[in-house]
Amino acid sequence: MAEAEESGTLDSQAQAALAAARRIAEARPSGGWACHIRLSHLPRARLKDNFSFAVNILRSAVERFLGRIFVLPNSDILVICWQTRRWQLRSAILSLQPLFEPDARSAGRSPGGEPSFVTWWDLDQQSGEFLAVVEGLVLGPVRSAAPPAPPPPSRRPEPEEPRRLDPVKLGSLVGRIKDANLAAAIRRQPVCRVTGSGAPEPLFEEIYVSIQELQRLFAPRWELGVDRWLFRALTEVLDERVLAWLSAAEALSLISSFALNLNLSTVVSSEFQRFEERFGPRLRGRIVIEVEKSDLLGDLPRFAAVQELLRKRGYLLCIDGLTGLDLDAVDYGRFAADYYKVGWHPEFLDEEGEARIGLERLIAQASADKVILSHCSVEEAVAFGRGLGLTLFQGWHLDALLRGVQPPKFKLVANS
């Protein structure tokens, strides 16, 4: 490893990014992708005004699925993600493009339709290219700024690089999580009703564990999302811990209505039964159980049983994680859920596109008041939803309005 790294001249974010890129290049895990967002291309004054806002939008997009965000000293951002939700981050990046105007107008887009200040890598095929770029970003400035140093008398061990989660490590992590207070990793984000005046009215709060914060607190040297089956086992444990957190009387007293994203296996577990027996009379009519679409499609008979169980006990059911491509491929309206959570994407602006057609079909089948448009990081996403008759929204833009912060107004365009 370079002397600059060993002497501690790199900041922690740069070190973590380099270590992750090296581990990926060596292990070549499947299903990953990465991107480099060159916020450093902003004029200095514009960067100062918009940097925190841009980072918050990107962090919000990454935090809800399996990803890591690294902010480099020059203000550039590297993102590494697993599984298939690249479109969620892409939507957030597209919403940042107006920050680069007039630079973005003159630079245009790359041949693939991406803004010119963003580069993507498919880590299945391009992990070596990604590593070379990260090494240039992280080590290049340090090497050019530092004078040559004589070889050290004894070489210190290189810092341990992030490791892929395996069953043994999962067992160790689960043991730590079961004995720990996860309050620092638990997040609460409201689903809001937006009607005539345009002011958001919180309807209920979604409670979830931030995977990024969990990794930072309990497994900084492990990549939690590489193996989807091990990650599913981890989420089942997290379900139990969230139920335990809610079981504290003081936690429930702070929440009027809320949503939990749970595995189907959790809803039929003894832990949920004990939770329901203790709080059932107080929770009925107040709690929404969110089920990921992959969990639903992976076990339709269990989903049907869980749906009937929740209906009998007076709980509401939400199908979560829907995208434009999902809505075109699967007729989700036939599942007769109480809510359907659809992630906002600029592709919906294309009136003839398959994503827009699928969304309009869902609205016609389920009714507009059952569709929640999530990942709304900009005002135009809410305006689009309202134009289709939607009233329920979730995302960073609503959070900012509830805090009394007025984010910049962006103009979004459909994908070219």
Side-chain angles (χ1 to χ4, degrees), residues 108-376:
R109 292 191 179 201
S110 68
E114 300 288 353
S116 60
F117 57 88
V118 179
T119 303
W120 295 90
W121 293 270
D122 179 345
L123 296 179
D124 286 342
Q125 305 294 330
Q126 300 173 299
S127 59
E129 297 174 25
F130 176 63
L131 173 59
V133 170
V134 174
E135 287 182 334
L137 289 169
V138 172
L139 297 180
V142 176
R143 286 171 173 164
S144 62
S154 61
R155 185 179 180 83
R156 292 202 299 263
E158 294 184 356
E160 184 181 6
E161 296 187 356
R163 299 167 292 174
R164 181 171 181 163
L165 192 65
D166 59 33
V168 174
K169 298 184 181 74
L170 175 63
S172 174
L173 177 59
V174 167
R176 297 178 63 196
I177 290 174
K178 283 190 172 182
D179 295 331
N181 183 350
L182 293 187
I186 291 177
R187 300 288 184 267
R188 295 159 57 170
Q189 186 177 48
V191 170
C192 298
R193 179 181 285 114
V194 180
T195 53
S197 67
E201 173 193 355
L203 184 65
F204 58 83
E205 287 189 320
E206 180 184 1
I207 298 173
Y208 63 95
V209 175
S210 164
I211 298 301
Q212 190 172 34
E213 185 66 10
L214 183 81
Q215 180 164 320
R216 187 187 71 82
L217 292 173
F218 296 98
R221 293 293 179 184
W222 297 349
E223 294 287 357
L224 300 183
V226 176
D227 189 305
R228 60 179 298 188
W229 302 112
L230 291 178
F231 182 76
R232 172 62 64 84
L234 175 61
T235 62
E236 292 175 348
V237 176
L238 295 177
D239 287 351
E240 296 177 15
R241 298 299 297 130
V242 170
L243 292 176
W245 179 78
L246 282 170
S247 293
E250 60 268 25
L252 280 177
S253 67
L254 295 175
I255 305 169
S256 56
S257 298
F258 59 96
L260 297 176
N261 195 312
L262 300 177
N263 291 284
L264 290 175
S265 57
T266 299
V267 181
V268 297
S269 68
S270 57
E271 288 80 7
F272 186 80
Q273 182 179 357
R274 287 193 294 269
F275 176 78
E276 202 274 335
E277 288 173 350
R278 180 177 178 186
F279 296 106
R282 283 184 279 168
L283 294 179
R284 288 174 184 139
R286 292 174 49 195
I287 184 171
V288 178
I289 302 299
E290 299 187 359
V291 175
E292 284 286 333
K293 55 118 185 284
S294 58
D295 205 6
L296 179 161
L297 297 176
D299 196 339
L300 289 174
R302 174 174 277 186
F303 171 79
V306 166
Q307 185 176 30
E308 182 63 21
L309 174 67
L310 294 176
R311 182 177 290 113
K312 287 182 178 178
R313 295 184 180 179
Y315 301 136
L316 301 175
L317 174 68
C318 175
I319 300 176
D320 190 17
L322 300 181
T323 69
L325 294 177
D326 297 325
L327 297 176
D328 179 60
V330 180
D331 184 4
Y332 285 96
R334 66 188 173 92
F335 293 112
D338 298 286
Y339 295 107
Y340 302 82
K341 187 176 289 187
V342 180
W344 156 255
H345 193 285
E347 286 180 349
F348 288 138
L349 296 174
D350 181 0
E351 295 183 3
E352 303 300 324
E354 295 176 346
R356 173 71 166 267
I357 293 172
L359 176 59
E360 291 178 343
R361 183 179 64 185
L362 176 64
I363 293 172
Q365 291 175 335
S367 80
D369 60 353
K370 290 187 176 183
V371 177
I372 302 168
L373 194 62
S374 65
H375 302 290
C376 294

Side-chain angles (χ1 to χ4, degrees), residues 1-22 70-74 78 131 133-146 156 158-159 161 221:
M1 183 172 286
E3 290 82 6
E5 283 181 88
E6 293 185 359
S7 64
T9 57
L10 295 178
D11 73 2
S12 59
Q13 290 275 295
Q15 285 182 328
L18 182 60
R22 285 174 169 168
F70 307 92
V71 181
L72 301 183
N74 71 344
L78 293 170
L131 173 59
V133 170
V134 174
E135 287 182 334
L137 289 169
V138 172
L139 297 180
V142 176
R143 286 171 173 164
S144 62
R156 292 202 299 263
E158 294 184 356
E161 296 187 356
R221 293 293 179 184

